[in-house]
Structures are given as C-alpha cells and as structure tokens.
Amino acid sequence: MQILSIKNIRAKREELESEYSLLTEFPDGKLAEIIEDVGFKCTLCGKCCTKEFNDHVFLLDSDIDRAKRIDPSSIVPAPYFELCDQDGNFYVSGYSLRCQKNGDCIFLKDNRCTIYSDRFSICRVYPFMLHREEDEDGVKDFRQISGLNLHGEYNHPVEKKDAEEIAERTTAYEKEFLEKEIAFYSAVLKLFEENGLKPVRRIYDRKMREFSADLPVTVYVFSKGNFERNTVKKSDYISKT
C-alpha cells in the first residue's frame, strides 16, 4: 500500500492489526507439526546471509542494544522508507544492518556468521516464519518456510519438543515484528496529526532521487517508542571495511 494520505496511514495500521489477529488465531501446534514434517536441517551453506536470499536484516527493538554493543557502526535506518512528509523527511519503522559491497550481511565471512552466538532475532528463527504472503495466483495465506528447497536439507527427523520450541520462537518473533509495525503507524499518525504533517508522494519521489544520487537525506527511525533523527546517504548502507 502506498502511503499517500493520513487515511492511508490509518488503513495500513488496520491492515496490520488484522494480520496480528489472524496470527494469534493460528492453531497452536500446527506450526510445530509443519516443522516436524519438513525436517529442515541447516547445512551451514551461509546462503541465508547473502543478498541472493535476503535483502537486508531488519532489527527488532530487542536487537538494537546488542547490535550497538557488537559494532555501533553496523546499523542504519531500514532501507525502504515508508513515507515522506511535505518537508522532505522520511520515516521508517526501524533499523537494519549495513551490508558488504556485494550485498551480503556485514557479519558474514567465509560463509560463516562471525557473531553466531549473538545473532539477531530474525537470524535465530530463519528459515521458519509465520506470516501471510500472496502466492503466484494472488492468494494470500500463511507461509511457514522461506526458501523451501533452495538451501539446507529436508526430511530429517526433528524431535517434537525441538519443533515446539522453534515454533514458539518463530511465533514470538512474528508477533514482536507486527507489534512494532503497528506502533510505528500509530506513532506516525499521532505525529502527523499533531504537527500538521502529511505524506506527499511527489516529495517522496524527489527525495528518493536525491538519495539514489548519494545525497544526504533525513530519516526519522522509530525505535523503542520514539523517533530518532538520522542523516544518511545511500553509500552509508555499505560497510567501509
């Protein structure tokens, strides 16, 4: 959904709230059963950390302090800015990790995660998921595995207890992600209404052209319930090391 008006902000929040309700109604135990049936086994191929498989690593609020402790320079505003006001300020729902020049995760080296014991929320549940996406026919339904048959091995035995633990972590991640997105749109709506701001697509497009030309832009990142002002250029998203 393109955020072109205050009405669109409300509609997006309502859409996310609906998705959250559907998530909470997903039958207990069903995801664990699917995890058991699929029998996924990680082969340490490192593909999940590459540009080929994942565009960027989005950080939940619970990841931020850890990321700053590991490497304060590793985080940037998430790359797909949700909206832009009439003054040319972008707004985005959180932070993400910088990438290497080839687009791979900044912490991937020789196909291995260099911070594995401290890896972030999405990294701990991948390739498992529990959110709705459209298929090739436009039908929207829950997906539980990302990159099925494209990495790892399948049909390995998975203990029921292990499957239940994975399912619990995955569901918790999806809930935290949606809660953050809902809170972001609620905060944006309040900020815009109280300050006479409005989303403007023409300004959004102009500022994105500036960003693509590696000119600095202002991005307000929603983090831990507040908006944090950042000034970034496109080149800032690539690690200098």
Side-chain angles (χ1 to χ4, degrees), residues 154-173:
Y154 299 86
N155 300 312
H156 285 268
V158 178
E159 295 290 335
K160 182 177 181 180
K161 180 181 178 181
D162 292 337
E164 290 173 344
E165 290 177 353
I166 294 170
E168 183 177 355
R169 288 199 306 270
T170 302
T171 302
Y173 170 83

Side-chain angles (χ1 to χ4, degrees), residues 51 55-56 76-84 88-92 96-99 202-221 230-238 240:
K51 176 71 172 179
D55 186 72
H56 65 282
V76 287
Y80 301 114
F81 313 138
E82 274 90 350
L83 63 158
C84 181
N89 299 310
F90 286 115
Y91 299 82
V92 72
S96 68
L97 294 180
R98 293 181 194 268
C99 296
R202 175 175 54 83
I203 304 297
Y204 183 102
D205 291 342
R206 176 168 63 81
K207 298 302 290 187
M208 281 303 300
R209 288 193 294 271
E210 293 179 10
F211 180 70
S212 297
D214 206 32
L215 296 175
V217 296
T218 298
V219 184
Y220 284 92
V221 182
N230 291 255
T231 301
V232 294
K233 298 185 296 183
K234 188 174 182 178
S235 57
D236 292 332
Y237 285 73
I238 305 299
K240 305 300 189 295

Side-chain angles (χ1 to χ4, degrees), residues 6-238:
I6 295 294
K7 182 179 179 180
N8 288 152
I9 297 175
R10 292 195 185 95
K12 182 62 178 180
R13 183 180 62 181
E14 290 172 1
E15 176 188 323
L16 290 165
E17 289 171 340
S18 176
E19 291 296 324
Y20 189 86
S21 294
L22 290 170
L23 175 63
T24 60
E25 293 167 3
F26 195 84
D28 291 340
K30 184 175 180 180
L31 178 57
E33 291 176 3
I34 292 170
I35 291 170
E36 278 192 84
D37 289 341
V38 171
F40 175 82
K41 179 182 179 181
C42 176
T43 58
L44 304 179
C45 67
K47 289 181 179 179
C48 60
C49 308
T50 65
K51 176 71 172 179
E52 177 186 2
F53 277 79
N54 288 294
D55 186 72
H56 65 282
V57 177
F58 185 82
L59 301 174
L60 299 180
D61 286 349
S62 56
D63 295 318
I64 296 300
D65 289 342
R66 194 182 333 150
K68 290 180 177 179
R69 172 174 53 81
I70 295 169
D71 181 359
S73 69
S74 67
I75 63 173
V76 287
Y80 301 114
F81 313 138
E82 274 90 350
L83 63 158
C84 181
D85 65 26
Q86 68 265 39
D87 297 322
N89 299 310
F90 286 115
Y91 299 82
V92 72
S93 61
Y95 288 101
S96 68
L97 294 180
R98 293 181 194 268
C99 296
Q100 299 181 44
K101 289 182 179 180
N102 63 358
D104 294 351
C105 177
I106 188 176
F107 294 115
L108 182 68
K109 184 177 181 180
D110 298 327
N111 281 345
R112 294 292 184 271
C113 176
T114 59
I115 59 162
Y116 188 79
S117 61
D118 269 338
R119 66 196 186 282
F120 304 107
S121 298
I122 184 61
C123 310
R124 292 176 181 270
V125 301
Y126 191 88
F128 303 107
M129 60 168 64
L130 189 59
H131 64 257
R132 300 200 314 145
E133 295 180 358
E134 290 186 357
D135 62 18
E136 59 273 12
D137 298 320
V139 177
K140 196 171 186 180
D141 201 355
F142 279 104
R143 288 185 59 199
Q144 295 85 18
I145 307 290
S146 179
L148 185 63
N149 296 321
L150 296 177
H151 53 65
E153 294 179 351
Y154 299 86
N155 300 312
H156 285 268
V158 178
E159 295 290 335
K160 182 177 181 180
K161 180 181 178 181
D162 292 337
E164 290 173 344
E165 290 177 353
I166 294 170
E168 183 177 355
R169 288 199 306 270
T170 302
T171 302
Y173 170 83
E174 298 290 0
K175 286 182 177 179
E176 187 175 351
F177 174 78
L178 282 175
E179 287 165 357
K180 180 173 176 59
E181 294 294 302
I182 292 167
F184 165 71
Y185 281 102
S186 295
V188 162
L189 182 61
K190 180 180 179 181
L191 180 70
F192 275 40
E193 289 182 331
E194 291 181 350
N195 293 277
L197 300 172
K198 59 182 179 180
V200 181
R201 183 55 188 263
R202 175 175 54 83
I203 304 297
Y204 183 102
D205 291 342
R206 176 168 63 81
K207 298 302 290 187
M208 281 303 300
R209 288 193 294 271
E210 293 179 10
F211 180 70
S212 297
D214 206 32
L215 296 175
V217 296
T218 298
V219 184
Y220 284 92
V221 182
F222 188 66
S223 180
K224 298 184 178 181
N226 297 296
F227 285 102
E228 298 178 350
R229 188 178 188 274
N230 291 255
T231 301
V232 294
K233 298 185 296 183
K234 188 174 182 178
S235 57
D236 292 332
Y237 285 73
I238 305 299

